[in-house]
Amino acid sequence: MRHVALTGGIGCGKTTVLREFERLGVPCFVADDVAAAYYRDPAFVAEVDHLLGGGTTTVDGTADKQAIARIVFADKEKLLQLNALVHPRVWSDYLAFAQRHGGAPYCLFESAIAYEYGFDRLVDKVVCVYVEKEERLRRLAERDHVGREALEARMRNQLPAEEKMMRADYVVLNYEGNPRRRQVEYIHRMLKKLP
């Protein structure tokens, strides 16, 4: 069993590319979805609230994700602390997922911060989805209805997309009209040949 990370900057279309790998029968683990489920655990929510200095829960004790985002995107140290709480747990859950899919040639671990958190050192190969910044900003503004300043603040908490692309083993250029499916099929064939 090989482990492959799928990463890319916010707004690059990682989910669309991931769906192409799923179509080929590749077991795909989405780190953000798994991490989001942690915020439904009251003990985890309380731990996050304590870590971030309070003010991150609603009246009924659930996580106030907007408050959490405001804190961590304004304070890099708090973001690192939150990541140190979340990501070891995510990786452990991924390993359990991969073990359940032991018959596959490889599993895909999708994470926007594969490089930032060091997941790239835990996998055999990295696939990066790339779209230049202005196009990502356009897509995100359309999808999330958030202003440019807020979107750029999110982007500053990730490595530049160009750096991710240069460090990756494979790159999917995810522009409209580009043969995304053919790119993924080619990468899939290469990954299945890994020793």
Side-chain angles (χ1 to χ4, degrees):
M1 163 69 69
R2 294 294 181 183
H3 306 289
V4 177
L6 177 70
T7 195
I10 183 173
C12 68
K14 290 180 299 298
T15 301
T16 306
V17 171
L18 180 116
R19 297 291 172 250
E20 291 294 332
F21 279 100
E22 286 182 329
R23 184 184 62 79
L24 296 169
V26 177
C28 296
F29 180 94
V30 181
D32 280 353
D33 290 353
V34 172
Y38 302 157
Y39 289 90
R40 293 192 289 272
D41 172 4
F44 181 82
V45 171
E47 195 172 352
V48 169
D49 190 57
H50 176 73
L51 178 76
L52 299 181
T56 64
T57 58
T58 62
V59 176
D60 64 359
T62 58
D64 182 342
K65 291 186 179 178
Q66 290 182 336
I68 293 168
R70 273 194 306 276
I71 291 168
V72 300
F73 290 127
D75 184 338
K76 195 155 191 137
E77 188 57 38
K78 293 286 188 193
L79 178 62
L80 290 171
Q81 291 171 358
L82 182 62
N83 285 343
L85 176 66
V86 173
H87 296 301
R89 185 182 296 197
V90 168
W91 185 252
S92 178
D93 285 345
Y94 165 72
L95 292 176
F97 171 87
Q99 189 170 13
R100 291 192 302 273
H101 294 88
Y106 67 94
C107 277
L108 206 63
F109 175 83
E110 186 272 325
S111 173
I113 56 170
Y115 288 113
E116 292 84 343
Y117 193 70
F119 290 127
D120 61 306
R121 295 188 301 272
L122 303 174
V123 298
D124 300 293
K125 297 289 179 184
V126 176
V127 177
C128 178
V129 181
Y130 178 79
V131 174
E132 60 89 27
K133 181 180 177 181
E134 288 304 316
E135 175 63 11
R136 289 187 292 127
L137 284 167
R138 185 193 68 74
R139 291 178 184 183
L140 287 166
E142 195 174 277
R143 183 189 80 186
D144 297 348
H145 308 290
V146 177
R148 184 181 180 102
E149 191 175 306
L151 294 171
E152 287 188 334
R154 290 185 202 172
M155 287 181 174
R156 282 192 295 274
N157 285 301
Q158 296 183 352
L159 285 177
E162 290 73 18
E163 183 175 343
K164 291 182 182 196
M165 180 176 68
M166 295 302 292
R167 291 172 62 178
D169 298 290
Y170 303 98
V171 176
V172 175
L173 299 175
N174 197 23
Y175 292 96
E176 291 306 315
N178 217 26
R180 178 188 311 116
R181 180 167 288 183
R182 282 208 317 259
Q183 293 177 76
V184 170
E185 287 172 350
Y186 170 79
I187 293 167
H188 177 63
R189 286 194 303 272
M190 295 300 101
L191 292 172
K192 285 197 322 185
K193 292 179 184 175
L194 290 175

